[in-house]
PDB file of all heavy atoms in Angstrom:
ATOM      1  N   VAL A 548     -26.563   2.623 -88.421  1.00 98.00           N
ATOM      2  CA  VAL A 548     -25.916   3.023 -89.663  1.00 98.00           C
ATOM      3  C   VAL A 548     -25.307   4.413 -89.520  1.00 98.00           C
ATOM      4  O   VAL A 548     -24.179   4.660 -89.962  1.00 98.00           O
ATOM      5  CB  VAL A 548     -26.914   2.973 -90.830  1.00 98.00           C
ATOM      6  CG1 VAL A 548     -26.246   3.403 -92.133  1.00 98.00           C
ATOM      7  CG2 VAL A 548     -27.493   1.566 -90.982  1.00 98.00           C
ATOM      8  N   PHE A 549     -26.031   5.324 -88.895  1.00 98.00           N
ATOM      9  CA  PHE A 549     -25.494   6.670 -88.692  1.00 98.00           C
ATOM     10  C   PHE A 549     -24.244   6.624 -87.820  1.00 98.00           C
ATOM     11  O   PHE A 549     -23.210   7.227 -88.159  1.00 98.00           O
ATOM     12  CB  PHE A 549     -26.557   7.563 -88.055  1.00 98.00           C
ATOM     13  CG  PHE A 549     -26.074   8.957 -87.761  1.00 98.00           C
ATOM     14  CD1 PHE A 549     -25.988   9.908 -88.768  1.00 98.00           C
ATOM     15  CD2 PHE A 549     -25.695   9.320 -86.473  1.00 98.00           C
ATOM     16  CE1 PHE A 549     -25.534  11.191 -88.506  1.00 98.00           C
ATOM     17  CE2 PHE A 549     -25.234  10.604 -86.194  1.00 98.00           C
ATOM     18  CZ  PHE A 549     -25.162  11.538 -87.219  1.00 98.00           C
ATOM     19  N   ASP A 550     -24.315   5.912 -86.713  1.00 97.00           N
ATOM     20  CA  ASP A 550     -23.154   5.841 -85.817  1.00 97.00           C
ATOM     21  C   ASP A 550     -21.973   5.167 -86.504  1.00 97.00           C
ATOM     22  O   ASP A 550     -20.824   5.605 -86.354  1.00 97.00           O
ATOM     23  CB  ASP A 550     -23.524   5.075 -84.546  1.00 97.00           C
ATOM     24  CG  ASP A 550     -24.513   5.826 -83.665  1.00 97.00           C
ATOM     25  OD1 ASP A 550     -24.681   7.051 -83.882  1.00 97.00           O
ATOM     26  OD2 ASP A 550     -25.111   5.201 -82.776  1.00 97.00           O
ATOM     27  N   GLY A 551     -22.244   4.112 -87.278  1.00 97.00           N
ATOM     28  CA  GLY A 551     -21.157   3.450 -87.988  1.00 97.00           C
ATOM     29  C   GLY A 551     -20.530   4.352 -89.027  1.00 97.00           C
ATOM     30  O   GLY A 551     -19.308   4.342 -89.226  1.00 97.00           O
ATOM     31  N   GLY A 552     -21.344   5.161 -89.707  1.00 98.00           N
ATOM     32  CA  GLY A 552     -20.817   6.065 -90.717  1.00 98.00           C
ATOM     33  C   GLY A 552     -19.938   7.151 -90.133  1.00 98.00           C
ATOM     34  O   GLY A 552     -18.937   7.550 -90.750  1.00 98.00           O
ATOM     35  N   THR A 553     -20.277   7.649 -88.963  1.00 97.00           N
ATOM     36  CA  THR A 553     -19.462   8.707 -88.357  1.00 97.00           C
ATOM     37  C   THR A 553     -18.079   8.208 -87.966  1.00 97.00           C
ATOM     38  O   THR A 553     -17.160   9.011 -87.791  1.00 97.00           O
ATOM     39  CB  THR A 553     -20.165   9.278 -87.118  1.00 97.00           C
ATOM     40  OG1 THR A 553     -20.387   8.220 -86.164  1.00 97.00           O
ATOM     41  CG2 THR A 553     -21.491   9.920 -87.482  1.00 97.00           C
ATOM     42  N   ALA A 554     -17.896   6.885 -87.858  1.00 96.00           N
ATOM     43  CA  ALA A 554     -16.609   6.317 -87.457  1.00 96.00           C
ATOM     44  C   ALA A 554     -15.743   5.920 -88.638  1.00 96.00           C
ATOM     45  O   ALA A 554     -14.640   5.399 -88.453  1.00 96.00           O
ATOM     46  CB  ALA A 554     -16.852   5.096 -86.566  1.00 96.00           C
ATOM     47  N   VAL A 555     -16.190   6.160 -89.869  1.00 96.00           N
ATOM     48  CA  VAL A 555     -15.412   5.784 -91.055  1.00 96.00           C
ATOM     49  C   VAL A 555     -14.338   6.835 -91.302  1.00 96.00           C
ATOM     50  O   VAL A 555     -14.633   8.034 -91.439  1.00 96.00           O
ATOM     51  CB  VAL A 555     -16.326   5.653 -92.285  1.00 96.00           C
ATOM     52  CG1 VAL A 555     -15.496   5.418 -93.544  1.00 96.00           C
ATOM     53  CG2 VAL A 555     -17.313   4.512 -92.089  1.00 96.00           C
ATOM     54  N   GLY A 556     -13.084   6.389 -91.361  1.00 91.00           N
ATOM     55  CA  GLY A 556     -11.994   7.316 -91.656  1.00 91.00           C
ATOM     56  C   GLY A 556     -11.843   8.395 -90.602  1.00 91.00           C
ATOM     57  O   GLY A 556     -12.273   8.259 -89.452  1.00 91.00           O
ATOM     58  N   VAL A 557     -11.254   9.500 -91.015  1.00 91.00           N
ATOM     59  CA  VAL A 557     -11.008  10.612 -90.090  1.00 91.00           C
ATOM     60  C   VAL A 557     -12.224  11.515 -89.952  1.00 91.00           C
ATOM     61  O   VAL A 557     -12.575  11.957 -88.859  1.00 91.00           O
ATOM     62  CB  VAL A 557      -9.790  11.437 -90.568  1.00 91.00           C
ATOM     63  CG1 VAL A 557      -9.575  12.646 -89.669  1.00 91.00           C
ATOM     64  CG2 VAL A 557      -8.534  10.565 -90.605  1.00 91.00           C
ATOM     65  N   SER A 558     -12.901  11.765 -91.066  1.00 93.00           N
ATOM     66  CA  SER A 558     -13.997  12.733 -91.054  1.00 93.00           C
ATOM     67  C   SER A 558     -15.359  12.098 -91.216  1.00 93.00           C
ATOM     68  O   SER A 558     -16.350  12.809 -91.356  1.00 93.00           O
ATOM     69  CB  SER A 558     -13.785  13.769 -92.165  1.00 93.00           C
ATOM     70  OG  SER A 558     -13.678  13.120 -93.422  1.00 93.00           O
ATOM     71  N   GLY A 559     -15.461  10.754 -91.193  1.00 96.00           N
ATOM     72  CA  GLY A 559     -16.743  10.100 -91.317  1.00 96.00           C
ATOM     73  C   GLY A 559     -17.126   9.840 -92.760  1.00 96.00           C
ATOM     74  O   GLY A 559     -16.457  10.266 -93.703  1.00 96.00           O
ATOM     75  N   ALA A 560     -18.280   9.172 -92.929  1.00 98.00           N
ATOM     76  CA  ALA A 560     -18.692   8.702 -94.247  1.00 98.00           C
ATOM     77  C   ALA A 560     -19.584   9.673 -94.995  1.00 98.00           C
ATOM     78  O   ALA A 560     -19.828   9.477 -96.183  1.00 98.00           O
ATOM     79  CB  ALA A 560     -19.432   7.363 -94.099  1.00 98.00           C
ATOM     80  N   PHE A 561     -20.060  10.734 -94.329  1.00 98.00           N
ATOM     81  CA  PHE A 561     -21.144  11.499 -94.905  1.00 98.00           C
ATOM     82  C   PHE A 561     -20.666  12.778 -95.585  1.00 98.00           C
ATOM     83  O   PHE A 561     -19.666  13.382 -95.186  1.00 98.00           O
ATOM     84  CB  PHE A 561     -22.179  11.808 -93.836  1.00 98.00           C
ATOM     85  CG  PHE A 561     -22.695  10.566 -93.152  1.00 98.00           C
ATOM     86  CD1 PHE A 561     -22.462  10.342 -91.796  1.00 98.00           C
ATOM     87  CD2 PHE A 561     -23.364   9.598 -93.882  1.00 98.00           C
ATOM     88  CE1 PHE A 561     -22.911   9.191 -91.179  1.00 98.00           C
ATOM     89  CE2 PHE A 561     -23.825   8.438 -93.275  1.00 98.00           C
ATOM     90  CZ  PHE A 561     -23.595   8.226 -91.920  1.00 98.00           C
TER      91      PHE A 561
END
Side-chain angles (χ1 to χ4, degrees):
V548 179
F549 178 79
D550 292 344
T553 59
V555 174
V557 176
S558 57
F561 304 115

